[in-house]
Amino acid sequence: MELKFVDFVEGAQSARGVAVVIDVFRAFTTACYCVQAGAKEIIAVGDSERALDYRHQLPNIVLLGERFGKCLPGFDFGNSPSVIEKENLEGKTIIHTTHAGTQGLVNAVEAAQVLTGAFVNARATADYIVSRRPEQVTLVRMGLNANTPSDEDWLYADYLAALLRGESVSDDAVEAELRRSPFAARFFDSAQPWSPEADFDCCLNFNKFNFVLQADRINDDACKLSVLPHME
């Protein structure tokens, strides 16, 4: 299995084989919590205006969207997993657009398969990939605002790569490093209430979920996220 590390939208566009699009803070953590909350389906959208249009196209829509971490106007929620954790989304279709993560999904057009990357389902994702025995896995680190390397996505890429190689990992060490990271400082800053401390805890709830999220293209700006079962 060849592992390739790439970054941002350009990296997503170059991804081949099984692509894991990584957005730990917070897109793909939030997506997993949407599944836990009972969402019927999740549609990841690149453009925020197109995401809003779904309000008039489908029933039982819940709009999740952020740019620069803040909830978008006209959306029901921002991108907070700790908020979603408390919601009942049974029967709802989630329309999800974010500054980084969903941009990676819709741009990974050359990959044979596209999965999401977050610590909350990392082992399930690794187990699934190993079971498929792909020739190439591309780890797409989306970073902050899809243009700046960020500790959480780079650490996740290393963490997943270690799992794929059968190496040991330390959840405690990763959490300690991220707790000190400037990229996590927003979660401990009362002046940024759109990034609550509870979100940090949700994002670092290692391997809480035993499922994989796969992105299947709907059109050039949207993907449907489907749950794949954990591989025992």
Side-chain angles (χ1 to χ4, degrees):
M1 182 190 306
E2 177 190 359
L3 298 181
K4 185 176 181 180
F5 297 77
V6 299
D7 306 325
F8 315 136
V9 168
E10 295 82 1
Q13 292 168 341
S14 73
R16 300 293 188 274
V18 176
V20 182
V21 180
I22 303 163
D23 189 335
V24 172
F25 292 162
R26 296 167 285 179
F28 301 140
T29 299
T30 299
C32 286
Y33 279 90
C34 286
V35 173
Q36 182 191 49
K40 176 184 175 183
E41 63 182 358
I42 303 169
I43 299 175
V45 183
D47 182 78
S48 60
E49 292 300 321
R50 292 189 186 181
L52 273 172
D53 288 343
Y54 276 93
R55 179 83 80 187
H56 311 292
Q57 298 173 18
L58 297 172
N60 297 318
I61 289 294
V62 175
L63 294 173
L64 274 63
E66 64 80 22
R67 292 296 184 270
F68 299 105
K70 298 180 181 180
C71 182
L72 285 165
F75 282 67
D76 300 299
F77 300 102
N79 188 36
S80 171
S82 65
V83 170
I84 293 301
E85 186 178 29
K86 301 180 181 72
E87 294 296 317
N88 180 358
L89 300 179
E90 290 288 341
K92 301 294 187 181
T93 295
I94 308 303
I95 307 300
H96 194 195
T97 183
T98 69
H99 211 132
T102 63
Q103 312 303 321
L105 295 183
V106 300
N107 277 284
V109 295
E110 299 297 332
Q113 185 177 27
V114 181
L115 309 176
T116 67
F119 285 114
V120 290
N121 65 338
R123 284 190 181 273
T125 301
D127 289 348
Y128 174 79
I129 293 171
V130 169
S131 76
R132 294 294 304 274
R133 302 176 66 182
E135 291 185 5
Q136 181 172 328
V137 177
T138 306
L139 305 181
V140 185
R141 303 171 295 200
M142 292 307 298
L144 179 65
N145 300 328
N147 61 18
T148 302
S150 61
D151 292 340
E152 72 280 2
D153 290 354
W154 266 244
L155 284 168
Y156 175 89
D158 292 341
Y159 183 98
L160 185 65
L163 292 176
L164 293 174
R165 296 175 181 132
E167 300 169 357
S168 62
V169 294
S170 171
D171 298 352
D172 291 342
V174 171
E175 179 173 355
E177 185 166 352
L178 285 177
R179 197 169 286 276
R180 298 188 299 267
S181 169
F183 291 95
R186 61 184 132 153
F187 300 113
F188 310 103
D189 181 358
S190 60
Q192 300 186 57
W194 53 87
S195 296
E197 184 174 348
D199 278 4
F200 180 85
D201 296 331
C202 285
C203 292
L204 274 295
N205 198 339
F206 289 86
N207 305 304
K208 175 179 176 64
F209 303 114
N210 284 332
F211 58 77
V212 179
L213 286 180
Q214 174 178 284
D216 297 300
R217 181 167 297 278
I218 298 173
N219 54 49
D220 63 358
D221 196 54
C223 297
K224 179 180 177 180
L225 299 186
S226 303
V227 174
L228 303 178
H230 177 54
M231 306 297 295
E232 297 292 346

Short mmCIF file of all heavy atoms in Angstrom, two decimals, residues 25 144 148-152 178 181-187:
data_model
loop_
_atom_site.label_atom_id
_atom_site.label_comp_id
_atom_site.label_asym_id
_atom_site.label_seq_id
_atom_site.Cartn_x
_atom_site.Cartn_y
_atom_site.Cartn_z
N PHE A 25 -10.97 19.61 12.81
CA PHE A 25 -11.62 20.77 13.43
C PHE A 25 -12.41 21.54 12.37
O PHE A 25 -11.94 22.48 11.79
CB PHE A 25 -10.59 21.73 14.03
CG PHE A 25 -9.82 21.27 15.21
CD1 PHE A 25 -8.64 21.92 15.56
CD2 PHE A 25 -10.23 20.20 16.00
CE1 PHE A 25 -7.90 21.52 16.66
CE2 PHE A 25 -9.49 19.80 17.09
CZ PHE A 25 -8.33 20.46 17.43
N LEU A 144 -6.33 24.68 7.91
CA LEU A 144 -7.15 25.82 8.30
C LEU A 144 -7.57 26.60 7.07
O LEU A 144 -6.72 27.04 6.28
CB LEU A 144 -6.37 26.72 9.26
CG LEU A 144 -7.09 27.97 9.75
CD1 LEU A 144 -8.30 27.61 10.60
CD2 LEU A 144 -6.13 28.87 10.53
N THR A 148 -3.88 26.73 4.96
CA THR A 148 -2.82 26.84 5.96
C THR A 148 -2.63 25.51 6.66
O THR A 148 -3.61 24.93 7.16
CB THR A 148 -3.19 27.91 7.02
OG1 THR A 148 -3.41 29.17 6.38
CG2 THR A 148 -2.09 28.05 8.06
N PRO A 149 -1.39 24.98 6.70
CA PRO A 149 -1.17 23.74 7.44
C PRO A 149 -1.59 23.88 8.89
O PRO A 149 -1.32 24.90 9.54
CB PRO A 149 0.35 23.53 7.33
CG PRO A 149 0.74 24.28 6.09
CD PRO A 149 -0.16 25.49 6.05
N SER A 150 -2.28 22.87 9.41
CA SER A 150 -2.78 22.93 10.79
C SER A 150 -2.42 21.65 11.53
O SER A 150 -2.44 20.56 10.95
CB SER A 150 -4.30 23.14 10.80
OG SER A 150 -4.96 22.07 10.17
N ASP A 151 -2.10 21.80 12.80
CA ASP A 151 -1.61 20.67 13.59
C ASP A 151 -2.56 19.49 13.59
O ASP A 151 -2.14 18.32 13.48
CB ASP A 151 -1.34 21.10 15.03
CG ASP A 151 -0.17 22.07 15.14
OD1 ASP A 151 0.66 22.13 14.21
OD2 ASP A 151 -0.10 22.79 16.16
N GLU A 152 -3.86 19.76 13.76
CA GLU A 152 -4.80 18.65 13.92
C GLU A 152 -4.90 17.77 12.68
O GLU A 152 -4.94 16.53 12.79
CB GLU A 152 -6.19 19.18 14.33
CG GLU A 152 -6.99 19.89 13.26
CD GLU A 152 -6.58 21.33 13.02
OE1 GLU A 152 -5.63 21.82 13.67
OE2 GLU A 152 -7.22 21.98 12.16
N LEU A 178 -2.30 18.64 20.85
CA LEU A 178 -3.31 19.53 20.30
C LEU A 178 -3.85 20.50 21.35
O LEU A 178 -4.22 21.63 21.01
CB LEU A 178 -4.45 18.71 19.68
CG LEU A 178 -4.12 18.07 18.34
CD1 LEU A 178 -5.27 17.22 17.83
CD2 LEU A 178 -3.77 19.14 17.30
N SER A 181 -1.73 23.36 21.11
CA SER A 181 -1.56 23.89 19.76
C SER A 181 -2.26 25.24 19.58
O SER A 181 -3.38 25.44 20.04
CB SER A 181 -2.13 22.90 18.74
OG SER A 181 -2.21 23.49 17.46
N PRO A 182 -1.64 26.15 18.88
CA PRO A 182 -2.31 27.42 18.56
C PRO A 182 -3.56 27.22 17.70
O PRO A 182 -4.44 28.07 17.68
CB PRO A 182 -1.25 28.22 17.81
CG PRO A 182 -0.26 27.21 17.32
CD PRO A 182 -0.25 26.11 18.34
N PHE A 183 -3.63 26.09 17.01
CA PHE A 183 -4.79 25.82 16.16
C PHE A 183 -6.00 25.35 16.97
O PHE A 183 -7.11 25.29 16.43
CB PHE A 183 -4.44 24.80 15.08
CG PHE A 183 -3.48 25.35 14.07
CD1 PHE A 183 -2.11 25.15 14.21
CD2 PHE A 183 -3.93 26.10 13.00
CE1 PHE A 183 -1.22 25.68 13.28
CE2 PHE A 183 -3.06 26.64 12.07
CZ PHE A 183 -1.69 26.42 12.22
N ALA A 184 -5.78 25.04 18.25
CA ALA A 184 -6.88 24.69 19.13
C ALA A 184 -7.23 25.83 20.08
O ALA A 184 -8.21 25.73 20.83
CB ALA A 184 -6.54 23.44 19.94
N ALA A 185 -6.48 26.91 20.05
CA ALA A 185 -6.66 28.00 21.01
C ALA A 185 -8.06 28.60 20.95
O ALA A 185 -8.60 29.06 21.96
CB ALA A 185 -5.61 29.09 20.77
N ARG A 186 -8.67 28.57 19.77
CA ARG A 186 -10.00 29.17 19.62
C ARG A 186 -11.04 28.50 20.53
O ARG A 186 -12.00 29.14 20.96
CB ARG A 186 -10.46 29.05 18.17
CG ARG A 186 -10.59 27.63 17.68
CD ARG A 186 -10.94 27.53 16.21
NE ARG A 186 -10.08 26.60 15.53
CZ ARG A 186 -10.45 25.93 14.43
NH1 ARG A 186 -11.64 26.13 13.91
NH2 ARG A 186 -9.62 25.09 13.86
N PHE A 187 -10.83 27.21 20.83
CA PHE A 187 -11.79 26.49 21.65
C PHE A 187 -11.72 26.89 23.13
O PHE A 187 -12.63 26.58 23.89
CB PHE A 187 -11.57 24.98 21.52
CG PHE A 187 -11.74 24.47 20.11
CD1 PHE A 187 -10.66 23.96 19.41
CD2 PHE A 187 -12.98 24.50 19.49
CE1 PHE A 187 -10.81 23.49 18.11
CE2 PHE A 187 -13.14 24.05 18.19
CZ PHE A 187 -12.06 23.54 17.50
#
